[in-house]
Amino acid sequence: MFEQMQMRRTFILAFCVTGIVLLGCLIGFAQSNKPPKTLFFDSDGNSITNNEFVDIRMANFHYPDKTIVKTLQDGTIEFRLQKIAQEGMQAPEFSVKALDGKMITSAELKGKVVVLNFWFIGCPVCRAHKPKLNDLKSRFSGRDDVVFVATTADPAGEVKKYLAKEPFDYVNAADAKSAMDAFVFAGFPKNIVIDRSGKIVYWRSTIAAWDKFESVIRTEIGR
């Protein structure tokens, strides 16, 4: 009887130890199979969010991808993006006619922060962005030191009809192909911020990091 009890205790102890070891193995396996940590940096080495990474990568989506990818000893993967070539460049001189007939020139806008949007009626991404662009502009209502201008190559008559159904709160200019071409860009939409001196400080296509977009505008207004 005593021997049976001892055998039972030994079996239970062995079972418990095995269970503990198995649990430890499972935890270790789970930890070893965690997805690697991913870090994103801009061309200057500043840490950025995943949304900012996507926006920068898509800013000139037709350019060859020169993203530098590193895997560190602990498995962390680092992505460092190439510089957006247009940022830091002087914006070209341009002149467009707003739908109300008023001429808008880059010379007259000097000293103000200028937020540009290039779009066209048949662009689904442009249409999808419009509500958020309207919301962005509303955050700066009442200010005279920042101007939001949307330009399209579409004819003024068609643009007026479209905007009657789908309002776009930027100052809208149509028949603006020559002004847009001066920026030498590819793909729609295009979102640009120009500082008070006429230098391009933000150049994006699609927008995921809306907080970054707004912060750039606020930073430039505050300079």
Side-chain angles (χ1 to χ4, degrees), residues 69-223:
V69 183
K70 281 184 184 178
T71 302
L72 306 184
Q73 287 186 346
D74 65 356
T76 298
I77 301 174
E78 289 187 356
F79 292 85
R80 184 160 177 164
L81 288 161
Q82 67 192 75
K83 179 176 172 57
I84 297 176
Q86 294 84 355
E87 292 183 354
M89 295 175 58
Q90 201 69 17
E93 297 293 322
F94 65 90
S95 175
V96 294
K97 188 176 183 180
L99 293 180
D100 63 4
K102 181 182 177 182
M103 293 301 299
I104 302 171
T105 68
S106 53
E108 293 173 347
L109 295 175
K110 285 284 176 66
K112 296 186 178 184
V113 176
V114 181
V115 184
L116 294 177
N117 174 261
F118 298 162
W119 69 290
F120 67 95
I121 293 172
C123 168
V125 179
C126 303
R127 294 198 300 269
H129 275 185
K130 190 152 51 60
K132 287 191 173 182
L133 292 173
N134 285 341
D135 178 64
L136 176 70
K137 183 185 180 300
S138 72
R139 296 167 187 253
F140 297 90
S141 61
R143 302 197 65 113
D144 59 5
D145 52 359
V146 57
V147 181
F148 292 78
V149 181
T151 65
T152 176
D154 292 329
E158 292 183 17
V159 174
K160 287 179 180 179
K161 288 180 182 177
Y162 173 77
L163 294 180
K165 299 177 182 177
E166 300 286 342
F168 193 178
D169 297 336
Y170 280 39
V171 175
N172 282 276
D175 298 299
K177 184 178 185 304
S178 60
M180 293 160 64
D181 285 349
F183 283 82
V184 191
F185 72 101
F188 289 87
K190 187 62 67 183
N191 293 281
I192 302 167
V193 178
I194 301 172
D195 72 7
R196 296 178 187 273
S197 69
K199 184 175 65 178
I200 296 171
V201 294
Y202 181 87
W203 177 281
R204 301 289 190 276
S205 292
T206 54
I207 304 291
W210 290 91
D211 54 341
K212 176 65 176 180
F213 192 5
E214 180 178 349
S215 72
V216 169
I217 299 170
R218 292 197 182 280
T219 297
E220 295 307 321
I221 289 174
R223 290 188 191 279

